Amino acid sequence: DQQVKQNSPSLSVQEGRISILNCDYTNSMFDYFLWYKKYPAEGPTFLISISSIKDKNEDGRFTVFLNKSAKHLSLHIVPSQPGDSAVYFCAAASGTYKYIFGTGTRLKVLA
Amino acid sequence: DTGVSQNPRHKITKRGQNVTFRCDPISEHNRLYWYRQTLGQGPEFLTYFQNEAQLEKSRLLSDRFSAERPKGSFSTLEIQRTEQGDSAMYLCASSLARTFTEAFFGQGTRLTVV
């Protein structure tokens, strides 16, 4: 039972353009959502989060949008840079601790 | 502060052997988590501690797995009688004990059982 789904295993974007990574969830009890970036042979690095009481959170080039009625969140990266090339995981939590991760989307930003 | 530290980074062991991994969390974080990640999957929750108390264990954590956090600081994860299916990246993370807080991950220990 995959409660958090990232249906696009990979995405390629030109440098300077917008990258949009999507995530769907099934559990309406989730109240906190996060995005992590992961480079090969390293642990996930926290990027940005959003609580269920908001629909948007912005941090520099990264913006997360939450659509609770559709049980969908997305991460926008503008402008995309080659250093953004990595695997991106969305994660969801209900309560305060256990995160459920998606399977990841590999982003490649082309110079 | 150097973040979450995990040792060793890599471990190759023969099937049936016992292995132990160590995690040193960020010093002011009282929550500590263990996750496991296999190829093509996201991290899967194994267990978590608040201070020295182990408050939840996933059903993924069979009887061969045990985790401790004796003084509420570093933690160890031991796998007894390793099996090839235990081969994975074992990730440790830590966070503050409050609502809506992010966890910070270490670089992981890559276990290969041959």
Side-chain angles (χ1 to χ4, degrees):
Chain A
D1 177 26
Q2 193 77 20
Q3 296 186 66
V4 178
K5 300 178 185 179
Q6 294 178 257
N7 292 318
S8 298
S10 63
L11 174 69
S12 291
V13 171
Q14 285 294 132
E15 181 180 6
R17 305 294 290 268
I18 184 171
S19 295
I20 300 176
L21 295 98
N22 294 303
C23 180
D24 297 293
Y25 61 95
T26 58
N27 188 342
S28 57
M29 298 300 292
F30 288 143
D31 56 7
Y32 188 54
F33 304 89
L34 310 93
W35 284 94
Y36 283 84
K37 177 170 73 173
K38 187 179 185 300
Y39 294 118
E42 294 186 10
T45 302
F46 170 73
L47 266 181
I48 192 168
S49 62
I50 188 167
S51 72
S52 58
I53 60 174
K54 296 185 176 181
D55 54 18
K56 177 182 174 181
N57 189 27
E58 193 171 351
D59 184 2
R61 297 184 298 113
F62 302 93
T63 303
V64 57
F65 295 91
L66 176 62
N67 182 335
K68 288 189 290 295
S69 60
K71 295 191 177 67
H72 177 83
L73 67 154
S74 60
L75 174 68
H76 292 209
I77 307 173
V78 183
S80 301
Q81 301 173 353
D84 296 329
S85 297
V87 178
Y88 288 78
F89 291 97
C90 71
S94 60
T96 60
Y97 59 93
K98 182 167 62 179
Y99 299 157
I100 308 297
F101 283 84
T103 52
T105 295
R106 182 176 302 279
L107 173 66
K108 183 180 283 188
V109 180
L110 307 170
Chain B
D1 179 21
T2 56
V4 178
S5 176
Q6 291 188 248
N7 288 288
R9 293 290 307 279
H10 304 276
K11 178 71 177 179
I12 300 174
T13 191
K14 291 185 179 179
R15 191 173 48 189
Q17 297 293 305
N18 298 344
V19 293
T20 300
F21 311 139
R22 177 179 169 124
C23 172
D24 288 90
I26 294 171
S27 56
E28 63 268 27
H29 287 180
N30 46 10
R31 285 188 178 162
L32 186 147
Y33 316 80
W34 286 98
Y35 283 79
R36 181 175 69 185
Q37 185 177 17
T38 53
L39 198 62
Q41 300 297 314
E44 295 175 291
F45 173 83
L46 292 178
T47 188
Y48 109 98
F49 293 83
Q50 181 146 323
N51 300 313
E52 65 275 10
Q54 187 174 19
L55 297 184
E56 184 171 336
K57 291 169 61 173
S58 163
R59 55 187 167 81
L60 293 175
L61 217 62
S62 77
D63 291 344
R64 297 184 297 105
F65 289 70
S66 63
E68 294 183 343
R69 194 182 183 197
K71 295 183 180 179
S73 56
F74 74 92
S75 175
T76 58
L77 177 68
E78 181 183 18
I79 309 174
Q80 296 183 325
R81 305 181 303 282
T82 52
E83 301 172 356
Q84 286 188 319
D86 297 330
S87 296
M89 174 78 84
Y90 290 84
L91 295 162
C92 176
S94 69
S95 75
L96 296 169
R98 66 180 187 210
T99 307
F100 302 156
T101 187
E102 63 273 17
F104 293 88
F105 283 82
Q107 293 185 302
T109 295
R110 165 77 62 192
L111 173 66
T112 302
V113 182
V114 297

